[in-house]
Amino acid sequence: MKKVAVIMGSDSDLPVVEKAITTLKEYDVPIEVHVYSAHRTPEQAREFAINARKNGFGAIICAAGKAAHLAGAFAANTTLPVIGIPVKSSTLDGLDALLSTVQMPAGIPVATVAIDGAANAALIAIEILSVSDESLADRLQAARNKATETVLAKDSAVAAKYNS
């Protein structure tokens, strides 16, 4: 199975990123986690991105706040799917990071999730890997089925209490 890289611009992003790490581990997806900055360690970030495919990665998740150029910097240096997590900061509540992550020029795409949407970033990476891994596809479908059952059970409970 291909690995997923989880990259954060700062270790202060770890409380958000941990949700992606946990989700990937729940699906037994091999991961590597690193702290690279688009601005403070550009050479190291570029080197990682350039070599990610040959090093066995199938997708890269990048989390950054404020001027969140990390996902774009990675996307500029690889043809692997890059998923950006804009991280909420104290300055503009994450809107700055969202716009920096989602507004990419044509030809350099970054799939972008909601502000602090790390679990969905992991699920997108898992969906990408599931294209060539039937067992992952089956596990994703089982999780969706369980979520459906949970919502329907809650519907039944609410309906039983309030419907006459």
Side-chain angles (χ1 to χ4, degrees):
M1 177 186 306
K2 298 276 187 187
K3 299 182 284 187
V4 173
V6 180
I7 313 295
M8 64 199 95
S10 167
D11 65 347
S12 66
D13 300 328
L14 192 54
V16 170
V17 171
E18 282 180 328
K19 294 175 185 114
I21 294 167
T22 299
T23 302
L24 290 162
K25 286 184 175 188
E26 286 171 358
Y27 282 85
D28 301 317
V29 172
I31 62 171
E32 273 189 35
V33 181
H34 295 281
V35 176
Y36 291 129
S37 168
H39 305 107
R40 296 183 188 104
T41 61
E43 293 85 12
Q44 292 84 352
R46 182 175 187 273
E47 187 71 22
F48 187 95
I50 287 170
N51 293 304
R53 185 179 299 277
K54 79 175 182 183
N55 288 332
F57 291 92
I60 300 171
I61 296 171
C62 293
K66 297 189 180 187
H69 299 124
L70 188 62
F74 269 76
N77 288 291
T78 186
T79 56
L80 289 174
V82 175
I83 304 151
I85 306 169
V87 177
K88 182 178 180 177
S89 66
S90 59
T91 329
L92 297 172
D93 287 333
L95 183 58
D96 49 347
L98 174 64
L99 295 174
S100 295
T101 305
V102 77
Q103 291 291 83
M104 293 299 300
I108 309 294
V110 171
T112 306
V113 296
I115 296 168
D116 293 347
N120 272 351
L123 289 169
I124 290 171
I126 294 164
E127 288 175 344
I128 290 166
L129 297 182
S130 78
V131 169
S132 61
D133 186 324
E134 196 63 36
S135 68
L136 270 181
D138 292 343
R139 291 179 68 190
L140 283 166
Q141 189 58 58
R144 293 272 179 102
N145 294 345
K146 184 177 178 182
T148 297
E149 292 170 12
T150 299
V151 171
L152 292 176
K154 291 177 181 181
D155 172 61
S156 293
V158 168
K161 183 174 180 177
Y162 295 104
N163 294 351
S164 43

